[in-house]
Amino acid sequence: AIVKVAGDVAFGFNLSSTQQVTEDTYTGTATKAIIGRYRNMASGPFFSYKFPGQDMGINFQMNRNFSGRNAIDVTSYQLRLIKAF
């Protein structure tokens, strides 16, 4: 991730990769439903804000999948409330 922090605000850009390392196994079926392993890359911007005087913040993130194999092509949005305990 690339991030810029300015006081209680942070924003930046994420890049992630997910790859399946073992084959799927099926029992009781004659054929496999999916042949091959799952692989996916995703990237997108994020914005975070820490509430002043609190041990909590909020984070918004958008990711766009690309270069996938056996994966759907989507844009995902996540909104998280983060609390430190």
Side-chain angles (χ1 to χ4, degrees), residues 22-39:
T22 60
E23 295 294 335
D24 291 331
T25 58
Y26 299 90
T27 58
T29 60
T31 60
K32 289 185 175 182
I34 300 173
I35 298 172
R37 297 177 181 177
Y38 173 87
R39 181 185 68 207

Side-chain angles (χ1 to χ4, degrees), residues 60-75:
F60 175 76
Q61 177 178 338
M62 182 189 87
N63 276 324
R64 177 76 178 155
N65 292 7
F66 65 93
S67 187
R69 182 175 64 204
N70 295 323
I72 59 173
D73 188 19
V74 300
T75 300

